[in-house]
Amino acid sequence: MTARIIDGKALSKQLREGFKTRVGALVAQGVTPGLAVILVGDNPASRVYVGNKVKACEECGCVPSTSPCRRTRWNRKSSPPSPASTPTRPCMAS
């Protein structure tokens, strides 16, 4: 099998157009497709990645939803922290 060079931008455009068509068909049937993302931590690269996914989602007609979480460490043998005591949604970290 020989290697083949692909045009990533053209392929991406083709895929996004296909997604837009499929999303439109779902919306016409009363279904609202979406993307839910839970962002754990405060890594700038992760924020950029998630931002790009949200933008792509909006361009296709999907409804994006992001939920930032702060890391919470707790002993797995004990109970997790109560939601009332945490200002943002806690996420388990190992």
Side-chain angles (χ1 to χ4, degrees), residues 7-21:
D7 182 347
K9 288 188 179 193
L11 181 58
S12 174
K13 183 178 180 181
Q14 179 184 3
L15 288 170
R16 288 179 191 226
E17 289 300 320
F19 292 143
K20 194 180 291 188
T21 302

Side-chain angles (χ1 to χ4, degrees), residues 23-70:
V23 167
L26 287 171
V27 170
Q29 296 174 14
V31 177
T32 306
L35 172 72
V37 179
I38 300 173
L39 185 60
V40 179
D42 198 23
N43 184 319
S46 293
R47 289 187 180 277
V48 169
Y49 179 83
V50 169
N52 288 334
K53 295 303 150 199
V54 166
K55 181 180 174 187
C57 187
E58 290 170 339
E59 289 173 356
C60 290
C62 290
V63 178
S65 173
T66 59
S67 296
C69 288
R70 68 177 176 81

